[in-house]
Amino acid sequence: MDILLIIVGAVCLVVGLLGCILPMLPGPPLSYVGILLLHFTSKVDFSPTMLLVWLAVVVVVQLLDYFIPLMGTKYFGGSKWGERGCLVGTIAGLFFMPWGIVVGPFLGALVGELLVGRGAGKALKSGIGSLIGFLAGTVLKCAVCGYFIWEFVAALL
């Protein structure tokens, strides 16, 4: 039974890492499931504190993944309309997976800025900020999944 749990856990970790790039798969939660499956074997015993800390990290990263594009919009000079457009674009993008989650925040910020009467240059800059925020969120998710893979391998060795 341990071997099956280890194999399924490893598959969860790999699919979780792919999920950082493919928006239709929840990357860090899948990787966390892989760590949990390893914990349920007789080979490894993570402390409950570590499991709860890792769970908290996964929840925070998943929430930040939706708000980092907003922060990118704001950092690149976007107005409240650009931020709201980015949020609306993020939500609308969920219905047009997988590209909607990338293009939605960008278009939302761009349209939000154009609606308020800002020039095309400033609106584009705001949209690029949301895109950079999306990429930063992707890097953050990859880092968490990579850490889980590291812990998985280190625990088995």
Side-chain angles (χ1 to χ4, degrees), residues 85-107:
C86 181
L87 181 61
V88 169
T90 300
I91 293 168
L94 293 174
F95 297 104
F96 300 100
M97 294 287 214
W99 293 106
I101 198 70
V102 177
V103 176
F106 173 79
L107 289 177

Side-chain angles (χ1 to χ4, degrees), residues 26-100:
L30 280 174
S31 291
Y32 182 72
V33 168
I35 289 288
L36 278 179
L37 290 173
L38 181 63
H39 173 72
F40 291 128
T41 66
S42 61
K43 306 231 181 268
V44 177
D45 188 25
F46 296 116
S47 72
T49 303
M50 283 308 299
L51 292 172
L52 289 174
V53 167
W54 290 338
L55 178 62
V57 167
V58 167
V59 169
V60 167
V61 166
Q62 284 300 109
L63 290 174
L64 280 177
D65 192 42
Y66 294 104
F67 291 105
I68 289 177
L70 286 171
M71 294 186 289
T73 299
K74 186 173 185 167
Y75 182 77
F76 275 72
S79 67
K80 292 282 186 197
W81 279 89
E83 290 177 39
R84 291 177 185 141
C86 181
L87 181 61
V88 169
T90 300
I91 293 168
L94 293 174
F95 297 104
F96 300 100
M97 294 287 214
W99 293 106

